[in-house]
């Protein structure tokens, strides 16, 4: 499908409820038409995890399996991520998993049978960002982990580069000012960027890429204000 033009008033903001927790955000996001991606995908894939989570991990967008099942990180990339979290000493139950963009973007092949992932563009990332802001405002985690370039750009703005900024505990942006550079008002929240787990799966040297992911996640674990219980 060609990208339809997004009007000036478009974007998720007008769908985001002013009050309420994650369940009410999730209910509202199910009806979001803030950009054209809702048209071809099965359903909105909202974040998952407890509102008490102190680490929020942000991916790019749901993949094929996530789109079918309606939950984030349930396919091969999610499997690898869960393994890496455990190895980094992060209890998955104390994390909240979400994506920068909440509908699956794809093109089709083999007469429409195969759905091939397409990276979301800046317009779609910007349109969807109000959901991410709302999730972060409700949860207010100590640490947000950007998994790959799309998440990094959604959180820190378009000058973000994974290769230059990964594996460090950076100041996190204010939750209602994502994408604004430079980060102002350091409030003690941290952002750690790393590779996207799908990039690990595609890497020539998968073992080295995986070890890098685990080591970056360890940085996130040690950036928690108090040790995880
Ligand atoms: N990749 C992502 O970025 N998010 C998912 O939920 C699954 C795969
Ligand atoms: Fe709304 Fe985001 Fe889906 Fe676009 S991708 S329709 S902004 S939830």
């Amino acid at each position: 499908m060609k990208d339809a033009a997004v009007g000036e008033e478009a974007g998720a903001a007008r769908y985001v409820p002013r009050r309420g927790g994650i369940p009410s955000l999730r209910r509202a996001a199910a009806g979001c038409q803030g950009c054209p991606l809702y048209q071809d995908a099965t359903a909105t894939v909202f974040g998952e995890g407890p509102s008490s989570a102190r680490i929020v991990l942000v991916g790019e967008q749901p993949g094929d399996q996530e789109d079918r099942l309606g939950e984030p990180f349930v396919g091969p990339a999610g499997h690898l991520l869960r393994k890496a979290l455990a190895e980094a000493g992060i209890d998955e139950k104390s994390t909240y998993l979400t994506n920068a963009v909440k509908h699956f973007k794809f093109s089709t092949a083999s007469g429409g049978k195969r759905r091939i992932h397409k990276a979301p563009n800046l317009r779609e990332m910007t349109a969807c960002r109000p959901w991410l802001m709302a999730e972060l405002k409700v949860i207010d985690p100590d640490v947000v982990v950007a998994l790959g370039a799309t998440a990094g750009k959604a959180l820190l703005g378009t000058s973000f580069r994974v290769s230059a900024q990964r594996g460090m505990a950076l100041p996190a942006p204010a939750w209602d000012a994502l994408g604004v550079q430079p980060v102002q008002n350091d409030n003690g929240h941290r952002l750690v960027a790393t590779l996207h787990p799908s990039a690990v799966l595609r890497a020539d040297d998968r073992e080295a890429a995986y070890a890098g992911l685990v080591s970056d996640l360890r940085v996130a674990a040690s950036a928690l204000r108090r040790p995880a219980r």
Side-chain angles (χ1 to χ4, degrees):
M1 191 194 89
K2 268 186 76 182
D3 291 335
V6 176
E8 264 173 14
E9 264 117 58
R14 67 200 146 111
Y15 297 92
V16 179
R18 295 235 178 89
R19 273 178 243 281
I22 295 294
S24 79
L25 290 175
R26 181 180 294 113
R27 270 194 304 277
C32 184
Q33 301 187 352
C35 83
L37 294 185
Y38 76 92
Q39 291 168 2
D40 292 342
T42 309
T44 309
V45 178
F46 208 67
E48 277 287 339
S51 306
S52 59
R54 285 184 297 135
I55 301 190
V56 170
L57 295 113
V58 184
E60 181 193 67
Q61 62 168 344
D64 181 76
Q65 295 199 41
E66 287 78 15
D67 177 73
R68 292 175 203 277
L69 296 168
E71 283 178 46
F73 291 105
V74 289
H79 184 75
L80 183 124
L81 176 62
R82 285 164 212 277
K83 193 165 150 250
L85 282 170
E87 228 169 293
I90 298 172
D91 179 6
E92 187 198 316
K93 291 201 261 351
S94 71
T95 66
Y96 181 90
L97 299 175
T98 193
N99 285 295
V101 171
K102 284 157 172 72
H103 273 105
F104 178 39
K105 183 178 180 183
F106 58 94
S107 57
T108 49
S110 312
K113 275 188 246 133
R114 235 161 63 75
R115 304 194 300 172
I116 301 159
H117 161 273
K118 275 173 80 177
N121 61 35
L122 183 61
R123 221 168 39 203
E124 292 147 355
M125 268 165 56
T126 308
C128 210
R129 189 155 47 199
W131 292 121
L132 183 59
M133 291 191 192
E135 289 171 295
L136 288 168
K137 268 204 257 184
V138 168
I139 298 170
D140 195 28
D142 289 346
V143 183
V144 57
V145 176
L147 299 166
T150 299
K153 287 176 202 287
L155 291 159
L156 287 181
T158 51
S159 62
F160 171 83
R161 295 290 174 272
V162 187
S163 49
Q165 283 164 280
R166 66 178 291 193
M168 296 180 266
L170 306 166
W175 307 135
D176 53 5
L178 303 188
V180 177
Q181 277 282 33
V183 171
Q184 284 155 356
N185 304 329
D186 185 2
N187 54 10
H189 296 286
R190 290 291 169 257
L191 184 148
V192 177
T194 186
L195 295 179
H196 191 284
S198 302
V200 175
L201 290 172
R202 283 192 311 264
D204 292 333
D205 189 345
R206 207 158 135 174
E207 239 171 82
Y210 178 74
L213 171 64
V214 172
S215 120
D216 294 346
L217 290 174
R218 287 208 175 100
V219 174
S222 54
L224 281 170
R225 288 177 183 168
R226 275 165 272 114
R229 269 169 289 170

